[in-house]
Structures are given as C-alpha cells and as structure tokens.
Amino acid sequence: MKKFVFIISLVFLTCMGAFSQNFNRVTQIIETAELTNGQAAYFVGSYLGSVRDNATDEEAFDVLKKEGLFKESAAAADKIKLQDLCALYAKVVQVKGGMMFTFTKKSARYSFKEFKAKGWLPKNADPSMKVSGVNAMGLFNSVTGGAK
C-alpha cells in the first residue's frame, strides 16, 4: 500500500512539473504588451499540438512557418500586426467566411475584415496595430467559440 501511494504521488508530482512549464509560458504571453510572431506561434502551436511545451518561440515559429502559417519574410522576433494574427487564427481554426475571404485563402487583409464583420474585433480596430497578449487571448477565445 505504501508503495502504491508513493508511486501515485511521484506520478502526480511529475505531471505537475511537466504542465507548469506551459502555464508559465502562457502567463508570460498574456502579460506581453506587444506580441511577437514567435509568441503567437508558440500559443497556436500548443493549441494544435504541433509544438512541444518546452519549445522556444523561435522553434515554434519555425514549425508553423514550415506549415505555411507565416509569410516567408516574417521573423520570430517581429511584432505581430492585428491583421496577421487574424490570418493565423483563421487558418488554424478553419473559420468560414465570405467570398473574398475564401478566394484569397484567408489572406491577412480579408481575415481582418471578416473578423470585424463577425464582431470579433471592435469597429475602430486598425489592421496594422500591434496586439497585446491579453487581446490576443481574448480574440482567440472569440474565434474558437464562433468558428463552426
């Protein structure tokens, strides 16, 4: 019985240590004033399961860039624009939209317009504005709740 309790306790502590890394990273992303491409890639890659929990922002960015979710000219350290974040979320969550949104394969411009039309962005949102971690999480929650 003592051995059983010891093994269960050991497994529990190991799992806590494994998942705490992800929670710390998500907290760090939320507290960010201006989100980078690498941080957005880590968050989305964790959602998709294509990025390890202990991956760096650069590693996460490289994985998603190879999948075609970022432009070739983008770098992990660059601050992400709102329209690019909309395009990333639209591709990841498989958002359905209008004709131009579909024809342009969820381009940044039409992803931004589609998100505004769906009410996921405020009417005064600017496509070139930088995004905070809190706003990125809020937008992701709106998108995942409304994408069917």
Side-chain angles (χ1 to χ4, degrees):
M1 183 67 176
K2 287 181 185 180
K3 188 184 272 187
F4 178 74
V5 171
F6 175 73
I7 291 173
I8 294 297
S9 299
L10 186 62
V11 168
F12 178 72
L13 290 173
T14 303
C15 289
M16 278 183 49
F19 290 111
S20 68
Q21 175 69 21
N22 194 16
F23 294 135
N24 290 336
R25 289 292 302 278
V26 171
T27 302
Q28 179 187 17
I29 290 171
I30 290 172
E31 293 173 347
T32 299
E34 291 185 345
L35 199 69
T36 64
N37 285 328
Q39 289 171 320
Y42 176 83
F43 176 67
V44 169
S46 295
Y47 170 78
L48 293 173
S50 60
V51 174
R52 298 181 332 272
D53 285 344
N54 61 352
T56 65
D57 292 345
E58 290 77 18
E59 292 170 342
F61 178 77
D62 289 340
V63 167
L64 295 187
K65 191 171 183 178
K66 286 178 187 168
E67 293 178 10
L69 296 176
F70 285 98
K71 298 176 188 173
E72 285 298 318
S73 61
D78 293 346
K79 305 294 184 198
I80 194 164
K81 294 178 186 171
L82 182 56
Q83 70 178 6
D84 295 329
L85 187 66
C86 290
L88 177 64
Y89 287 173
K91 292 172 185 172
V92 166
V93 182
Q94 302 296 317
V95 174
K96 304 289 185 215
M99 183 176 69
M100 289 305 294
F101 177 71
T102 305
F103 285 152
T104 61
K105 298 182 181 172
K106 302 177 183 174
S107 72
R109 174 189 170 107
Y110 286 103
S111 294
F112 175 79
K113 288 183 173 226
E114 189 68 33
F115 281 29
K116 271 182 103 169
K118 289 183 183 287
W120 295 337
L121 293 172
K123 296 290 183 200
N124 63 349
D126 178 23
S128 62
M129 70 184 273
K130 305 299 185 222
V131 184
S132 71
V134 171
N135 291 340
M137 288 289 182
L139 179 59
F140 191 76
N141 286 336
S142 296
V143 172
T144 55
K148 303 244 186 277

